[in-house]
Amino acid sequence: MPFNELGLSDKVLSAVTDAGYTEPTPIQAQAIPHVLARRDVLGLAQTGTGKTAAFVLPMLTLLEQGRARARMPRTLILEPTRELAAQVEENFVKYGKNHKLNVALLIGGVSFGDQDSKLLRGVDVLIATPGRLLDHVERGRLLLSGIEILVIDEADRMLDMGFIPDIERVCKLVPFTRQTLFFSATMPPEIQRLVSQFLSNPVQIEASRPSSTAANITQLLVACGREDHEKRDKLRDLIRGAENLQNGIIFCNRKRDVGVVHKSLQRHGFNVVALHGDMDQRSRMQALEQFRTGEATLLVASDVAARGLDIPAVSHVFNYDTPHHAEDYIHRIGRTGRAGRSGAAFTIVTHADVKSLAAIEKLIGNPIEWMNGQTLGDAPPREARSSSRGGERGGERGGERGEQRRGARPARRREERPQDERGHSERSHSHREEAPVAVASNVEELPRGNRPPRRERASAAPAPVETGPRPAPRAPVNPTTARRPQAERPHNDEPADTSHLPAFLLRPVKIKAG
Ligand code: AMP
């Protein structure tokens, strides 16, 4: 069905044409007519399916009638992270270019004053992260009683981040008669409860996980006998040998490893940026932009920092760590092979990852192939194995010996200090040691007194991913990986390496650096 049969306004259709989209994606084709008919919609979809436009386009059409009043926004979109909120705003700018609508972004890390003056002017579309939104409400600067459409996006991620009580609060503050559009990639019981409580007779739409996409993804396991430096060795080999590598995301399970791997790759001359919750908002956006524009070839990220971000055309995913949660594997590899392109996903597996790997293979319904047929049996466990590159071993504590070490950059690692940032919303159960103080990481907000403890995600298995035919795994070195050196970026609050400290030492006491 073409766009012009969905009931969208001429202004919207013209912007869609300008954006170069010819056909609606399945979720757009299914959702848009229902949104325009003012029905509540429950969309089971993740990013990459075109779900943002599925609500932005009909919202723009509906917003053509009526106007905003001071401090009473007409529509509200809740996003779990600042980056996602900013992405949605970009969509409104792109598709709303023929409209004169006021769009405001309420996210942390930005001054209250600027946000407040926007609210005062009257807002048609308010895009917010839950904490900052409620802060404005609590200050009496924002009324939610004029909301006509409420969008709750990435609900399962909201759950991961402990935002569900905030969402419940918001749902009670907006009028009972509002239209609710609710999107989640998975439906754990907590999310189901939310849906039955706050949606009214919703139309359920399921945009199948891009299993066709996954069919284009070559998935390979890479056996690794040791943790730490041998993993980084392996990672570099994989990057250098990656076939047709245009850009790649390297996923780590823990944010501290994001920092370690990022620095390690930089020392080895790779063109790499990092995305982790300890970076300030500006640095995060800058890193993301560098990666989006191709200025940086590689992005090292944690799941929480990267999930849902719209990074088009990633050719490779490298799982530096096997994800502890099987569904994270699907989210990670879903970053590549988009829109029919082929992609490759490599997962480094150590002996400690056997259980996680079994869970992943169970979830996707297929065994994943080992690269070059080498299994963990070929990679002896820790004590039996020596480094494959003696020269690299010296780097373990005092700084790796980079092949292209830049003079300006000290090889010695920064003096280790306890983590001075607030804690993080990365999966609490697997990252407990990383969150000495309870506040979200890549989440925008400061701690709110009533914020509940972060919860474990319930196990709701997404649809299986098909695995496809696998091309030859190895290829010659790709020159794009070692382009010009990465400029020094501001790392005001670069994470300290606290790997040597047990979690309980980090938690109650805040030790100052230096
Ligand atoms: P989303 O799932 O909303 O994150 O969108 C994923 C990507 O698909 C974004 O880069 C969109 O710009 C793009 N996109 C959205 N709708 C369409 C469409 N109808 N045709 C082609 N690309 C689209």
Side-chain angles (χ1 to χ4, degrees):
M1 184 188 282
F3 270 113
N4 60 12
E5 286 178 22
L6 296 176
L8 294 166
S9 71
D10 290 344
K11 284 180 184 173
V12 172
L13 287 174
S14 146
V16 167
T17 308
D18 292 348
Y21 302 149
T22 47
E23 284 282 315
T25 65
I27 191 154
Q28 290 164 3
Q30 290 176 75
I32 289 171
H34 293 298
V35 180
L36 291 173
R38 299 265 181 194
R39 291 285 304 270
D40 279 8
V41 170
L42 168 60
L44 282 166
Q46 56 175 280
T47 44
T49 53
K51 79 172 156 69
T52 315
F55 60 82
V56 171
L57 302 180
M59 278 176 78
L60 283 167
T61 300
L62 292 172
L63 282 165
E64 285 173 20
Q65 308 296 323
R67 54 190 289 269
R69 283 186 283 165
R71 304 206 180 280
M72 290 182 71
R74 299 171 65 197
T75 62
L76 171 62
I77 299 165
L78 290 175
E79 293 289 337
T81 65
R82 304 169 194 179
E83 282 85 358
L84 283 168
Q87 261 173 223
V88 172
E89 187 193 30
E90 280 168 24
N91 273 257
F92 271 99
V93 171
K94 179 159 86 175
Y95 303 125
K97 63 183 209 170
N98 302 318
H99 296 72
K100 286 201 179 77
L101 295 174
N102 289 339
V103 180
L105 198 57
L106 292 192
I107 54 175
V110 179
S111 91
F112 270 94
D114 292 350
Q115 296 178 344
D116 193 55
S117 46
K118 275 203 168 175
L119 292 174
L120 189 58
R121 256 182 271 143
V123 169
D124 296 286
V125 181
L126 185 61
I127 306 159
T129 45
R132 182 54 76 100
L133 177 89
L134 288 170
D135 284 341
H136 279 277
V137 171
E138 278 159 16
R139 289 169 181 223
R141 320 296 287 177
L142 170 63
L143 289 168
L144 299 182
S145 49
I147 299 290
E148 298 158 28
I149 304 174
L150 170 67
V151 180
I152 300 168
D153 196 17
E154 303 265 336
D156 50 355
R157 262 189 93 185
M158 302 267 200
L159 173 69
D160 282 350
M161 294 179 161
F163 283 155
I164 297 303
D166 286 351
I167 303 293
E168 286 173 339
R169 240 187 106 197
V170 173
C171 285
K172 287 173 186 164
L173 289 168
V174 297
F176 178 69
T177 49
R178 92 243 157 204
Q179 180 182 11
T180 310
L181 314 176
F182 190 102
F183 295 89
S184 189
T186 57
M187 285 296 287
E190 290 95 330
I191 299 293
Q192 260 156 13
R193 186 181 58 76
L194 214 57
V195 166
S196 48
Q197 197 179 349
F198 294 112
L199 271 71
S200 165
N201 189 24
V203 181
Q204 185 165 327
I205 290 163
E206 192 163 349
S208 58
R209 178 176 303 289
S211 52
S212 53
T213 301
N216 306 327
I217 303 173
T218 303
Q219 299 173 64
L220 286 171
L221 301 175
V222 182
C224 187
R226 282 183 61 119
E227 298 279 348
D228 43 62
H229 74 92
E230 193 177 340
K231 276 178 94 170
R232 296 197 291 272
D233 251 8
K234 274 267 189 297
L235 176 67
R236 291 194 297 275
D237 287 348
L238 285 172
I239 297 169
R240 292 191 184 107
E243 205 177 340
N244 298 326
L245 187 142
Q246 277 128 36
N247 57 357
I249 306 182
I250 297 144
F251 282 103
C252 299
N253 286 353
R254 288 169 296 196
K255 65 179 190 246
R256 69 164 181 240
D257 289 330
V258 172
V260 171
V261 172
H262 174 226
K263 282 180 194 161
S264 165
L265 288 172
Q266 272 192 327
R267 282 189 200 109
H268 284 268
F270 290 91
N271 179 15
V272 58
V273 290
L275 197 65
H276 56 73
D278 281 349
M279 289 161 65
D280 61 41
Q281 177 66 5
R282 212 181 124 260
S283 307
R284 285 157 60 171
M285 291 306 228
Q286 193 182 341
L288 200 54
E289 198 52 26
Q290 283 177 288
F291 187 65
R292 275 211 191 107
T293 56
E295 198 183 320
T297 315
L298 300 169
L299 172 73
V300 190
S302 63
D303 293 286
V304 169
R307 192 177 319 161
L309 295 178
D310 179 21
I311 303 164
V314 176
S315 70
H316 284 67
V317 164
F318 301 95
N319 289 320
Y320 176 76
D321 296 307
T322 304
H324 293 316
H325 299 271
E327 61 215 62
D328 282 340
Y329 179 79
I330 292 177
H331 286 294
R332 289 180 184 187
I333 71 163
R335 313 303 314 176
T336 183
R338 289 183 162 205
R341 293 186 184 90
S342 61
F346 296 91
T347 301
I348 297 178
V349 185
T350 69
H351 290 272
D353 300 321
V354 172
K355 266 193 186 165
S356 302
L357 175 62
I360 290 166
E361 292 184 327
K362 187 169 171 223
L363 179 63
I364 65 173
N366 282 306
I368 310 171
E369 203 174 293
W370 290 90
M371 191 167 151
N372 299 334
Q374 288 185 333
T375 66
L376 275 178
D378 303 307
R382 198 174 188 94
E383 52 288 348
R385 192 168 173 92
S386 62
S387 168
S388 60
R389 292 186 181 193
E392 291 291 310
R393 299 205 63 174
E396 265 317 280
R397 302 287 305 170
E400 291 167 90
R401 310 239 184 288
E403 293 136 340
Q404 303 182 15
R405 203 163 75 204
R406 279 168 291 290
R409 183 140 192 120
R412 198 157 43 85
R413 196 169 283 170
R414 266 159 41 121
E415 191 184 335
E416 290 186 344
R417 59 178 166 82
Q419 192 159 344
D420 56 4
E421 263 287 286
R422 294 182 185 89
H424 285 266
S425 63
E426 307 219 8
R427 293 284 163 75
S428 53
H429 42 302
S430 54
H431 307 283
R432 222 173 272 149
E433 75 277 18
E434 303 207 16
V437 187
V439 186
S441 65
N442 65 329
V443 194
E444 67 303 344
E445 297 96 332
L446 292 172
R448 294 154 35 72
N450 59 353
R451 177 149 294 144
R454 284 160 284 133
R455 299 188 205 172
E456 277 198 23
R457 162 177 249 190
S459 58
V465 171
E466 292 165 22
T467 50
R470 296 175 169 91
R474 308 288 293 179
V477 174
N478 189 313
T480 55
T481 54
R483 292 194 323 198
R484 73 197 118 80
Q486 165 73 24
E488 287 287 330
R489 289 177 299 111
H491 265 282
N492 316 342
D493 49 0
E494 211 167 50
D497 183 354
T498 57
S499 53
H500 61 301
L501 293 175
F504 69 89
L505 276 183
L506 292 172
R507 209 169 293 135
V509 183
K510 208 170 169 185
I511 306 166
K512 288 223 168 73

